[in-house]
Amino acid sequence: MSKIILHIDLNQFFVRCEEIKNPSLIGKPVAVGGDGRRGIVSTCSYKAREYGIHSGMPMFQAKMLCKDLIITDVDFEYYELMSKEFIDYVKKYTYKIEQMSIDECFCDITEAYNKIGNGDILKFLKGFQVGLYKKTQLNCSIGVAPTKFLAKMGSDIKKPNGITIIRKRDIEKIIFPLPVKDFFGIGKKTAPRLEKIGFSTIGELYYGLKNDDIRLKDYFESGKDTI
């Protein structure tokens, strides 16, 4: 792997911050967001997700799905402080950082790995995860690849606390079998429409585009949507 690009995604970040403040929340169904009539779930714990709760859901609906749901207010000031701690930790490895949001970033660790990696990228990144947790108590999933696009795709594959390494030779094996909805950049409305015309995986979409599949040509010429 020439360049070593990471996409680091903090797992259930808002919830994890609340757990750090209040450890009694660990392992329980928790939703962060407003509890009023128009309240929306900002994020939720993995336990809450087992009930079908997800980000963007009206809070009243979430409470219907889980009667034991614990709701906490959003504390952006604290989350921003924890996000800064996260980025400060990444800076121990590299200053080539592109922060995408409060809980995720891209970074180029090529130089650091070549100096101290000892040829074992998996061991190196597990050490990164352990060190981040010791410093901040935050957990993360990591995608590793020669490009930002592939690194972003990788970080979503194994959650929580996963590490996915994608080399160019691994694209067909790792990326192509994924559902088309997991393609970074494809919108929530576009994915089901692509599935409807016969493209359910990323590999099918790739070969369809490569071979000028008439179904895709008709789809894009109709102006229904764009990727």
Side-chain angles (χ1 to χ4, degrees):
M1 191 181 291
S2 51
K3 274 197 171 185
I4 304 175
I5 308 298
L6 308 185
H7 180 259
I8 307 168
D9 190 358
L10 299 176
N11 302 143
Q12 55 170 26
F13 176 58
F14 289 2
V15 170
R16 181 60 195 147
C17 288
E18 295 300 329
E19 289 177 346
I20 293 169
K21 289 193 294 183
N22 181 5
S24 69
L25 297 176
I26 295 173
K28 295 180 181 178
V30 178
V32 177
D35 193 16
R37 184 175 180 83
R38 297 183 181 179
I40 298 294
V41 176
S42 179
T43 191
C44 59
S45 66
Y46 290 112
K47 187 65 178 179
R49 294 175 198 183
E50 293 177 8
Y51 292 86
I53 298 169
H54 57 79
S55 299
M57 174 181 284
M59 193 65 77
F60 78 86
Q61 186 177 349
K63 290 192 288 186
M64 291 173 63
L65 291 172
C66 177
K67 63 181 179 63
D68 297 320
L69 184 67
I70 300 169
I71 301 170
T72 66
D73 290 330
V74 177
D75 186 352
F76 278 118
E77 185 175 346
Y78 180 62
Y79 305 156
E80 287 173 356
L81 177 64
M82 294 301 293
S83 178
K84 183 180 182 301
E85 290 288 306
F86 160 55
I87 295 299
D88 285 347
Y89 176 79
V90 178
K91 287 178 181 177
K92 291 176 58 179
Y93 291 82
T94 180
Y95 279 91
K96 296 179 180 179
I97 301 169
E98 182 180 351
Q99 188 165 5
M100 301 301 292
S101 66
I102 197 169
D103 63 348
E104 61 177 324
C105 74
F106 290 107
C107 64
D108 183 338
I109 63 159
T110 310
E111 186 175 343
Y113 179 70
N114 287 338
K115 285 182 178 179
I116 60 175
N118 295 320
D120 190 338
I121 187 67
L122 189 59
K123 182 178 180 180
F124 180 82
L125 293 174
K126 284 181 177 178
F128 178 98
Q129 288 178 321
V130 170
L132 176 64
Y133 184 81
K134 285 182 178 179
K135 184 177 187 296
T136 66
Q137 296 186 60
L138 296 171
N139 300 305
C140 70
S141 295
I142 302 174
V144 193
T147 68
K148 292 194 293 184
F149 174 80
L150 289 174
K152 171 64 176 174
M153 292 290 295
S155 68
D156 286 333
I157 291 175
K158 298 176 185 176
K159 287 188 175 181
N161 303 321
I163 298 172
T164 301
I165 301 169
I166 303 176
R167 297 173 176 84
K168 288 184 179 179
R169 65 176 182 266
D170 299 324
I171 292 175
E172 289 195 31
K173 178 182 177 182
I174 297 175
I175 300 297
F176 281 16
L178 297 174
V180 71
K181 67 179 179 61
D182 289 348
F183 193 107
F184 177 53
I186 286 186
K188 292 182 179 179
K189 292 183 179 179
T190 304
R193 290 172 180 169
L194 289 172
E195 292 171 355
K196 189 174 181 180
I197 62 171
F199 299 92
S200 59
T201 69
I202 292 174
E204 289 170 350
L205 178 61
Y206 169 81
Y207 286 113
L209 291 168
K210 183 178 180 180
N211 297 319
D212 296 321
D213 192 293
I214 188 64
R215 292 171 295 174
L216 288 171
K217 184 178 179 181
D218 291 344
Y219 175 77
F220 290 117
E221 287 183 351
S222 71
K224 287 183 178 179
D225 214 332
T226 57
I227 294 179

